[in-house]
Amino acid sequence: MDNPGKFYITTPIYYVNARPHIGHTYTTVVCDAIARRQRMMGMDTFFLTGTDEHGQKIERSAAAAGCSPKEFADKVSGEFRGLWDRMKITYDDFIRTTEPRHMRGVQALFTRLQERGFIYKGSYSGQYCVYDELYVDAAGPGAPCPECGRSTETVHEENYFFKLSAMQEPLLKFYAEHPDFIRPETRRNEVIAFVRSGLRDLSVSRTSFKWGIPVPGDPKHVIYVWLDALANYMTAIGYGSDDLKDQQKLARYWPADVHMIGKEIVRFHCVYWPAFLLAADLPLPCSIIAHGWLLFEESKMSKSRGNIVRSETILDTLGQDALRYFLLREIVFGQDGSFSFDALVQRFNADLANDLGNLSSRTLSMISRYFDGEIPYPSPAARNPGDEAIEVLAQKTIADFHAQFEQFQFSRALETAWGLVSAVNKYIVENEPWAVAERDDKDSKARLATILRTAVEALRIVTALVHPVIPEASARIWSQLGLGDIKQLNLRELAWGQIPNGTKLGKVEPVFPRADKSMIERMQQMEQQRSGESEKRTGESQLVGPASIGAEAGQRATEAVAAQSPSSSPTLSQSDKGGAPTAGHSAPASDKISIDDFLKVEMRVGEIKVAERVKGADKLLRMEVDIGSEVRQVVAGIAKAYEPEKLVGRKVVIVANLQPRKLRGLESNGMIVAASLDDGLPVLASFLEDVPVGAKLK
């Protein structure tokens, strides 16, 4: 962080080809929780979100809807902003790429790149997918798009190009010098492999449509959508402005501390964006964090499947805290996660209503009943080892929660906090304060005060820690504790024993009413109704494609590349997504591999934290495996040989640098090493000695 005391975080700006859904909400809620916590830690925090509104797809969608592109963008952008406001997302600015301040900044960046010799004029002839805003290296007219399968169009046009080919070595050098620039490690490895495979020059303008930002000095060209969109992170805080306040704002907050993105737009943010900034001699963001997709009942959300989930349905039934908690607790950040209404209700009832809600309700109710609503002072003479154990656990919970949240391990952090909740609920049951209260003597009164003071201190600590995740409920509990405005709390100073003597409780009332099974059916019916109304109102069926967390999958790509040197008139083709060998370049087959080939395989010791069967697959287990640097989701065909509950805590060997693959809709990030017996059953590789988690195998 270049500026001590500041923190700047961004969501991707969401493309206005369709109204917001739960995937967009996931990214935004993650950023909001981080921003809220940073403010509670005393940081000068700036949180940016917004909408991406240019491109040929928007121009055509607007025409189909019978309105102008600006009217179309205004409507959908308004829905995003309206949802975030309803959810009380604490963004500091909402940038739109149709705003004058953004257009001015994009043109300034284009001019700077041009003046520094990184932009030149050429031409393109080939196939183009309008739906994905994607140049396609296809065999001929009408060839299918590799992303969406739709027929491509033949395009002949003059373009400006960015010298991406010149940035290969500077990018690799930067990645090596900044190992935390791209996270998680799987995405970093993918990006480095892509850049090492070779970069070709990038189209950064279009002439076949007009809905975009004009190229300075050459208005028949519009600046291509990704150079336009990526610049938002700087234009929102003053880049390109002559105003002194804007310049001071830019100097204060840039570079961004965190760009939060979905994994499908990693290349644009981790290759093209840093390449633009390096070429412009501008500071690069500190880190780019990529998360996975949100699956609906194990299937990727898409309009064609009819399984898009809208956040409004959950807000209308269980409220925003239920949705926020589920998304951060249920999904292991960085991996694909699954959403279902059943799982949402189950998590709400188990963790919020039964655990935290019950702890709050009965602790505060007993203080009201037995001490007239005043938090009692504990008696040192009445303490026992059980009280001390809760205090020690609470102090450890504070430290562990902070460390895990800082590493974007939201699920583990919440699991840690709920470990304290469970321990205190068990403590209350074991100490039976209601029974102690029946004994009308001085020692019993002191013991009762100590029990309830211990429980309420733990409740206060949990409430403070989880406030960034469940802000409404935690604020209500904090108010019931009689502690005022939770936003005034300095989370950095949170410790045991900070309740002032004589603190009077506020009005005690339930925070999480339990949801019955009918809630699931009600949400399903509401979702179906909303889906039909949305199509009638906006013609959304023409616009929505595969939906993933953070942005639309295949949303668009600007990877048209020059096959010849900048001095020639280039013919462009689409680069493949993974840097895979093309025909004529495959390695010859061989029965043996070299030591160099073997050394490419990265194996690590992992510890299984969660293991469960995959619905509808009798051979597959879904596991969450701690490999030291992160927790990976791994799907393996070992269900017939191992019971999932017996695998938890077991150490295994993980191949950590495999490309992710999908099994039954779940992304598997790595492979567990096992031997295959004659009967076909696997036997896991393991260790006789105690080996630390994360250790590399050589």
Side-chain angles (χ1 to χ4, degrees):
M1 207 182 306
D2 288 356
N3 293 328
K6 74 91 181 175
F7 185 83
Y8 177 27
I9 185 170
T10 71
T11 71
I13 52 173
Y14 303 115
Y15 202 40
V16 294
N17 64 320
R19 64 193 302 277
H21 55 70
I22 197 171
H24 304 107
T25 297
Y26 176 66
T27 314
T28 308
V29 163
V30 166
C31 290
D32 184 65
I34 294 170
R36 285 175 182 268
R37 180 176 173 277
Q38 288 292 334
R39 295 187 190 104
M40 293 180 72
M41 298 290 283
M43 301 294 287
D44 174 14
T45 300
F46 195 90
F47 171 21
L48 176 70
T49 189
T51 46
D52 178 7
E53 303 176 16
H54 289 133
Q56 190 171 17
K57 180 162 54 175
I58 302 304
E59 187 176 73
R60 291 188 179 182
S61 296
C67 62
S68 70
K70 183 65 165 62
E71 290 170 334
F72 187 91
D74 286 347
K75 182 177 181 61
V76 181
S77 179
E79 296 205 35
F80 275 95
R81 188 161 192 162
L83 177 59
W84 303 156
D85 289 347
R86 180 183 176 187
M87 294 186 66
K88 299 179 183 176
I89 300 297
T90 60
Y91 61 85
D92 294 283
D93 200 352
F94 188 101
I95 185 72
R96 297 182 59 187
T97 59
T98 49
E99 292 181 66
R101 59 171 174 159
H102 177 73
M103 298 172 71
R104 180 177 60 239
V106 170
Q107 289 179 325
L109 179 59
F110 191 96
T111 299
R112 185 180 178 100
L113 291 170
Q114 201 169 29
E115 290 174 346
R116 290 177 58 82
F118 284 93
I119 287 181
Y120 64 93
K121 187 178 284 189
S123 62
Y124 171 77
S125 180
Q127 298 308 114
Y128 185 78
C129 174
V130 174
Y131 183 83
D132 288 321
E133 300 281 8
L134 181 73
Y135 290 96
V136 178
D137 186 10
C145 169
E147 291 291 333
C148 67
R150 292 170 172 82
S151 296
T152 56
E153 299 179 10
T154 302
V155 174
H156 305 280
E157 63 180 339
E158 179 183 80
N159 297 116
Y160 283 93
F161 298 94
F162 171 72
K163 293 182 181 178
L164 184 63
S165 58
M167 304 311 297
Q168 181 169 335
E169 291 308 316
L171 283 170
L172 291 173
K173 182 174 182 290
F174 182 83
Y175 301 149
E177 293 173 350
H178 300 83
D180 289 334
F181 177 64
I182 304 168
R183 287 183 280 179
E185 190 176 0
T186 50
R187 306 301 167 215
R188 171 181 162 81
N189 293 338
E190 290 169 7
V191 168
I192 291 174
F194 174 76
V195 174
R196 282 178 176 163
S197 71
L199 298 177
R200 291 179 287 177
D201 291 354
L202 190 70
S203 169
V204 288
S205 79
R206 296 293 305 276
T207 56
S208 57
F209 63 91
K210 294 299 182 184
W211 183 237
I213 298 173
V215 168
D218 197 352
K220 74 175 183 179
H221 288 258
V222 294
I223 297 172
Y224 198 30
V225 286
W226 273 107
L227 177 55
D228 170 353
L230 290 165
N232 90 91
Y233 304 124
M234 292 198 309
T235 64
I237 55 171
Y239 182 79
S241 174
D242 295 329
D243 185 272
L244 179 59
K245 289 184 178 179
D246 288 339
Q247 293 172 359
Q248 290 172 338
K249 189 178 193 179
L250 180 68
R252 172 62 177 160
Y253 292 111
W254 190 258
D257 295 275
V258 173
H259 286 330
M260 188 68 65
I261 63 170
K263 66 181 182 180
E264 70 283 350
I265 51 177
V266 162
R267 184 190 303 180
F268 309 110
H269 283 78
C270 300
V271 180
Y272 302 156
W273 181 225
F276 295 150
L277 294 171
L278 286 170
D281 193 27
L282 293 169
L284 274 65
C286 300
S287 62
I288 299 174
I289 314 297
H291 56 69
W293 287 331
L294 189 59
L295 309 175
F296 181 73
E297 296 178 342
E298 312 301 338
S299 296
K300 190 176 179 183
M301 292 188 198
S302 76
K303 187 66 177 180
S304 61
R305 292 191 182 100
N307 64 354
I308 294 290
V309 178
R310 291 163 179 81
S311 304
E312 293 90 336
T313 297
I314 301 161
L315 300 180
D316 288 345
T317 51
L318 294 176
Q320 67 150 315
D321 279 352
L323 176 57
R324 292 172 67 103
Y325 180 79
F326 178 87
L327 293 175
L328 271 72
R329 175 63 181 90
E330 189 80 7
I331 299 167
V332 177
F333 186 76
Q335 301 177 14
D336 289 355
S338 182
F339 176 88
S340 71
F341 293 120
D342 298 60
L344 172 67
V345 170
Q346 182 179 353
R347 180 68 74 177
F348 175 84
N349 283 334
D351 291 11
L352 297 180
N354 291 355
D355 289 347
L356 181 58
N358 188 38
L359 173 61
S360 174
S361 179
R362 66 178 173 177
T363 300
L364 300 185
S365 294
M366 284 189 286
I367 291 173
S368 295
R369 183 182 310 124
Y370 302 132
F371 293 94
D372 295 325
E374 183 175 311
I375 296 178
Y377 186 76
S379 171
R383 282 172 63 85
N384 66 26
D387 311 326
E388 294 171 1
I390 293 296
E391 180 178 343
V392 170
L393 178 60
Q395 292 169 335
K396 184 176 187 300
T397 297
I398 294 171
D400 290 350
F401 187 96
H402 282 326
Q404 290 157 353
F405 215 97
E406 288 285 342
Q407 292 300 314
F408 308 101
Q409 297 176 2
F410 310 115
S411 182
R412 292 184 71 179
L414 291 170
E415 182 182 9
T416 295
W418 256 256
L420 178 57
V421 171
S422 297
V424 180
N425 276 326
K426 181 180 179 183
Y427 164 85
I428 291 173
V429 170
E430 291 175 343
N431 284 273
E432 298 183 318
W434 48 86
V436 175
E438 292 179 358
R439 299 193 292 269
D440 190 16
D441 61 81
K442 184 178 179 181
D443 288 344
S444 296
K445 190 76 171 178
R447 180 62 193 149
L448 178 61
T450 300
I451 294 170
L452 294 180
R453 179 68 174 230
T454 300
V456 81
E457 273 285 5
L459 173 63
R460 179 186 65 86
I461 285 171
V462 169
T463 302
L465 289 174
V466 303
H467 176 64
V469 178
I470 50 172
E472 288 190 342
S474 58
R476 290 172 61 193
I477 294 173
W478 197 260
S479 178
Q480 291 181 40
L481 285 166
L483 298 175
D485 184 359
I486 194 171
K487 288 184 288 187
Q488 302 303 315
L489 172 71
N490 187 332
L491 200 56
R492 200 181 296 274
E493 298 175 356
L494 183 66
W496 184 268
Q498 293 175 326
I499 297 179
N501 291 335
T503 298
K504 292 284 291 184
L505 298 182
K507 182 181 179 181
V508 177
E509 54 189 6
V511 178
F512 297 109
R514 186 175 176 81
D516 59 35
K517 291 183 178 180
S518 67
M519 186 68 74
I520 298 171
E521 183 178 352
R522 182 182 171 194
M523 286 190 288
Q524 291 170 337
Q525 291 173 346
M526 291 173 66
E527 190 59 38
Q528 292 171 358
Q529 182 179 359
R530 276 198 166 99
S531 179
E533 289 175 351
S534 177
E535 286 191 20
K536 292 177 182 178
R537 185 174 70 253
T538 66
E540 189 175 306
S541 59
Q542 304 172 24
L543 311 175
V544 183
S548 64
I549 291 175
E552 298 298 320
Q555 178 183 32
R556 60 197 188 185
T558 61
E559 58 246 79
V561 290
Q564 302 179 23
S565 68
S567 59
S568 65
S569 177
T571 301
L572 305 185
S573 64
Q574 165 70 27
S575 62
D576 66 87
K577 282 215 161 187
T582 56
H585 292 83
S586 58
S590 173
D591 292 335
K592 295 183 179 181
I593 63 172
S594 69
I595 186 64
D596 290 336
D597 290 329
F598 176 76
L599 290 176
K600 293 177 183 177
V601 180
E602 179 185 337
M603 291 186 287
R604 290 179 180 265
V605 177
E607 182 177 348
I608 298 174
K609 295 295 186 181
V610 174
E612 60 187 16
R613 296 186 183 277
V614 174
K615 185 178 180 181
D618 59 352
K619 295 182 180 180
L620 296 181
L621 293 182
R622 185 193 78 85
M623 289 163 283
E624 296 171 18
V625 184
D626 187 350
I627 62 168
S629 59
E630 60 180 302
V631 176
R632 297 274 192 91
Q633 175 173 279
V634 178
V635 182
I638 59 173
K640 290 191 173 182
Y642 294 93
E643 296 177 15
E645 57 272 12
K646 293 183 179 180
L647 287 174
V648 175
R650 179 162 180 167
K651 290 182 178 177
V652 292
V653 178
I654 296 289
V655 179
N657 61 339
L658 283 178
Q659 290 281 354
R661 61 174 298 192
K662 287 288 186 66
L663 295 169
R664 289 296 180 107
L666 295 173
E667 183 176 78
S668 183
N669 277 294
M671 181 178 73
I672 291 184
V673 177
S676 181
L677 303 182
D678 291 340
D679 58 7
L681 292 177
V683 176
L684 294 175
S686 57
F687 307 93
L688 296 175
E689 295 83 3
D690 186 22
V691 184
V693 170
K696 290 186 177 180
L697 277 68
K698 299 180 179 179

